[in-house]
Amino acid sequence: MRTPNVIRRLALKIARRTGRRLPGNPAEAGLTLIEMIVVLAIIALVAALIVPNVIGRPDEARRTVAEADLKTISAALKMYRLDNSDYPTTEQGLAALVKKPTTAPQPRIWPEEGYLAQMPEDPWGRPYGYRSPGASGRGFDLYSLGKDGKPGGEGVDADIKEQRS
């Protein structure tokens, strides 16, 4: 019966050299308190590095959504122009892409489902601005006033524009 003890000691020696644990050895089962503290310290360090970068992103994400919306609305306005030779007037507004305008000039061609499924709003819950003709005297200006809802501004408060001539 001495052979199993020799084998067990040999297995323990190999396990120590390779850094592995043997199943069934209660002295080496589970994690020690020091190992747990090291793991928690690593998690805290990673969180301290990542969290500040993630917290400031919602405003940037809203700005990106607004830019994508403006491109989508711009594409719908181009389709409207292809069908009707001109953009909707400022008075008709972006509603002309959702519901057939009843004011002049009425569109010659109107798709049954419209050009957009619903009236668009910017990520801050306000309607997008639209002007036709645009500031250049041609095309259109399409814009969001940014987070603060006021003309101008910097950073996330800056206006987001899409202009076509």
Side-chain angles (χ1 to χ4, degrees), residues 88-144:
T89 64
T90 302
E91 293 76 30
Q92 290 171 330
L94 296 176
L97 300 174
V98 179
K99 187 177 177 187
K100 186 175 181 177
T102 56
T103 60
Q106 289 195 358
R108 292 177 292 129
I109 300 171
W110 179 259
E112 192 173 306
E113 64 282 348
Y115 293 92
L116 291 174
Q118 61 188 23
M119 188 66 166
E121 284 187 344
D122 72 11
W124 297 278
R126 293 182 295 274
Y128 286 104
Y130 172 73
R131 182 175 41 237
S132 177
S136 66
R138 300 181 301 169
F140 64 85
D141 293 339
L142 189 57
Y143 57 91
S144 167

Side-chain angles (χ1 to χ4, degrees), residues 4-133:
N5 274 342
V6 172
I7 294 172
R8 179 83 179 151
R9 275 190 258 144
L10 184 60
L12 282 171
K13 211 180 234 185
I14 292 170
R16 281 189 206 113
R17 286 185 185 164
T18 61
R20 296 184 182 175
R21 295 190 175 134
L22 290 178
N25 184 358
E28 295 197 19
L31 296 173
T32 65
L33 181 60
I34 300 292
E35 289 171 326
M36 290 294 285
I37 291 171
V38 168
V39 168
L40 290 173
I42 291 170
I43 291 171
L45 178 67
V46 170
L49 294 173
I50 293 175
V51 168
N53 292 330
V54 175
I55 287 177
R57 303 285 182 190
D59 289 330
E60 289 177 29
R62 285 186 182 100
R63 186 169 179 82
T64 302
V65 167
E67 290 168 355
D69 283 353
L70 291 179
K71 287 185 184 346
T72 301
I73 296 166
S74 179
L77 286 164
K78 288 178 193 174
M79 289 300 298
Y80 185 99
R81 183 175 184 221
L82 285 172
D83 287 348
N84 300 292
S85 303
D86 208 356
Y87 296 112
T89 64
T90 302
E91 293 76 30
Q92 290 171 330
L94 296 176
L97 300 174
V98 179
K99 187 177 177 187
K100 186 175 181 177
T102 56
T103 60
Q106 289 195 358
R108 292 177 292 129
I109 300 171
W110 179 259
E112 192 173 306
E113 64 282 348
Y115 293 92
L116 291 174
Q118 61 188 23
M119 188 66 166
E121 284 187 344
D122 72 11
W124 297 278
R126 293 182 295 274
Y128 286 104
Y130 172 73
R131 182 175 41 237
S132 177

